[in-house]
Amino acid sequence: GAVVSQHPSRVICKSGTSVKIECRSLDFQATTMFWYRQFPKQSLMLMATSNEGSKATYEQGVEKDKFLINHASLTLSTLTVTSAHPEDSSFYICSARSGSGGTYNEQFFGPGTRLTVL
Amino acid sequence: EDQVTQSPEALRLQEGESSSLNCSYTVSGLRGLFWYRQDPGKGPEFLFTLYSAGEEKEKERLKATLTKKESFLHITAPKPEDSATYLCAVHGSGGSNYKLTFGKGTLLTVNP
């Protein structure tokens, strides 16, 4: 149980293009979903938190117009990196929290998406 | 602001050589301390949640313990497949929306 998938696993794009990353909770309904980015040999940095049907809450320093988050259903959240630039190249990971049952507080992570902007 | 410090940054063990990883934390009102395992190029895999001092949880060769200031992840008779980065995270009452604060992790290498 508690499986989270991400698609795509890797993406290479040209500078100035937009990239959409999908995050799905496969066997539970995700009350809250989170988006992180991770640089090599660094820990996870929370970018934003989203609740289904609500606007995302962004961490300080994260541009909400650049990183668009949509949490349209209890099983799907998307992160769109708009007008991507090489400095946006990173490992993006989503997580989901069910908010019910015995896993009330745990976050379960997807496998991550490696974004490379040329 | 919640803070998490993990030590050591890296640890090399021989197969079968037991050891412990440390996670020291500062949080206003601990709502949960979490341990994750992360393999290279993959997302973190959930291991344990601890909620109160004195609590212990075990899974195979791993045992997590919690005090009011720190948590330990004990690895008994490790195998090469236990090699990974182990991440510690906390959720405090001051954080909004179940936000986790992560440590930088301990890179564990178990040599056969």
Side-chain angles (χ1 to χ4, degrees), chain A residues 1 9 37 53 66 83 88 100 112:
Chain A
S9 58
R37 64 189 298 182
K66 181 168 187 63
S83 187
D88 298 323
S100 64

Side-chain angles (χ1 to χ4, degrees), chain A residues 6-23:
Chain A
Q6 266 183 257
H7 178 80
S9 58
R10 291 178 177 271
V11 57
I12 300 173
C13 68
K14 292 182 179 179
S15 186
T17 61
S18 294
V19 175
K20 180 184 283 189
I21 303 170
E22 287 189 352
C23 176

